Amino acid sequence: MHDLIKMPFLVRDDCTDNWTWNKRDKSHEVRLYGRQGFTAHFHPNWSNGTAGVRGTRILNYGKHYWEIKISQRIFGTSMMFGIGTQRARLHVDAFVNMLGEDGQSWGLSHKGLLWHNGKWRQYTKPFKENEATTVGLLFDWNQGTLTYFKDGLSLGVAFTGLNKIEDDLYPIVCSTAAKTEMSLGLRKRSYFNLQDRCRAVILSKLRGENELDNLPLPNRVKYFLKDAMVH
């Protein structure tokens, strides 16, 4: 039976994570909009293939949770949410399940199918077309698992053994459907170490980068603090 899990308890002892979609690591058929480019817009004119975008966060440590808010335009061959290495493709001129097409990525399609290494299996019911929804992903590096949530409801562990992957892993989304959108929502992660925890406390007291620039701190410390801000 699926459990409704409150978000603050997904990643215990956590902090807000400020990664976003990577404007330099995406298909030419993806446009980034909104505050800090949180919204990925796929195939702005028409679609003749599959387009994806990678996130800026490397996932190979601790726990990470992030949400993807999908607009009511849910349709087409494949809209997918998952993770992959730097070698996972972000564009192909064909309508395919690009996440999970090979050993470099792992993905869930809006049709309820899990894909990896070119193989699929049924995981959940197909998403209702033309109905907005929120997909959550919980990546646990220590356990090597990726778990999906749909509108706050856990769908169970989807993939295992991910902590055996030696390459860096990143969040990825892709879509074959024209004029579809996916926006980043809540993002949380566990701390790297005590230094990381201290940085999070300092940043929680600041209102922005300008306020940080005015602090009487060495430049090296300022760079360290800014590295955790949205960029």
Side-chain angles (χ1 to χ4, degrees):
M1 185 175 179
H2 296 186
D3 298 317
L4 187 64
I5 299 179
K6 294 181 180 180
M7 307 323 304
F9 299 103
L10 280 171
V11 182
R12 294 185 182 278
D13 197 24
D14 56 27
C15 64
T16 299
D17 201 6
N18 291 319
W19 62 270
T20 186
W21 300 125
N22 194 332
K23 62 183 179 181
R24 293 178 293 274
D25 200 10
K26 65 180 183 65
S27 163
H28 62 277
E29 280 291 297
V30 174
R31 305 286 187 272
L32 300 181
Y33 296 111
R35 180 176 174 267
Q36 303 294 337
F38 286 164
T39 297
H41 184 89
F42 301 87
H43 312 287
N45 298 310
W46 59 82
S47 176
N48 58 5
T50 310
V53 58
R54 231 180 312 266
T56 56
R57 166 61 62 214
I58 296 175
L59 301 169
N60 301 54
Y61 69 92
K63 293 183 180 181
H64 301 263
Y65 177 80
W66 65 100
E67 291 183 341
I68 299 168
K69 298 179 180 180
I70 310 161
S71 71
Q72 63 183 11
R73 287 178 60 82
I74 299 178
F75 66 100
T77 300
S78 185
M79 298 176 68
M80 303 192 76
F81 338 94
I83 64 174
T85 72
Q86 197 70 40
R87 290 183 284 175
R89 290 198 297 180
L90 296 179
H91 185 86
V92 57
D93 291 326
F95 300 116
V96 300
N97 293 283
M98 192 164 65
L99 273 179
E101 66 175 352
D102 56 22
Q104 299 302 314
S105 56
W106 297 255
L108 168 66
S109 79
H110 76 289
K111 295 186 178 180
L113 306 177
L114 293 175
W115 283 86
H116 175 60
N117 228 7
K119 299 178 181 179
W120 64 269
R121 62 182 174 90
Q122 194 73 44
Y123 174 65
T124 189
K125 294 179 181 179
F127 292 14
K128 290 183 179 180
E129 295 195 353
N130 303 313
E131 183 177 299
T133 190
T134 298
V135 173
L137 296 89
L138 176 63
F139 180 84
D140 187 331
W141 172 251
N142 296 324
Q143 297 297 320
T145 58
L146 178 62
T147 301
Y148 288 93
F149 297 76
K150 187 175 185 296
D151 295 324
L153 190 69
S154 172
L155 301 177
V157 173
F159 298 106
T160 60
L162 296 169
N163 49 359
K164 299 177 183 177
I165 307 302
E166 295 182 357
D167 292 343
D168 289 341
L169 294 169
Y170 301 83
I172 304 178
V173 291
C174 65
S175 176
T176 61
K179 301 177 181 179
T180 48
E181 289 188 349
M182 302 185 200
S183 300
L184 284 172
L186 179 69
R187 282 148 293 138
K188 301 178 80 68
R189 65 171 174 83
S190 55
Y191 294 105
F192 301 125
N193 49 34
L194 179 59
Q195 186 181 47
D196 184 42
R197 184 190 297 270
C198 293
R199 175 170 62 180
V201 171
I202 294 172
L203 290 179
S204 70
K205 306 298 182 182
L206 299 178
R207 289 189 289 254
E209 193 168 318
N210 290 337
E211 192 168 320
L212 172 58
D213 288 333
N214 292 328
L215 291 178
L217 296 171
N219 286 334
R220 186 173 180 179
V221 175
K222 289 183 180 179
Y223 293 147
F224 175 70
L225 292 171
K226 288 182 180 180
D227 189 55
M229 292 181 164
V230 176
H231 54 274

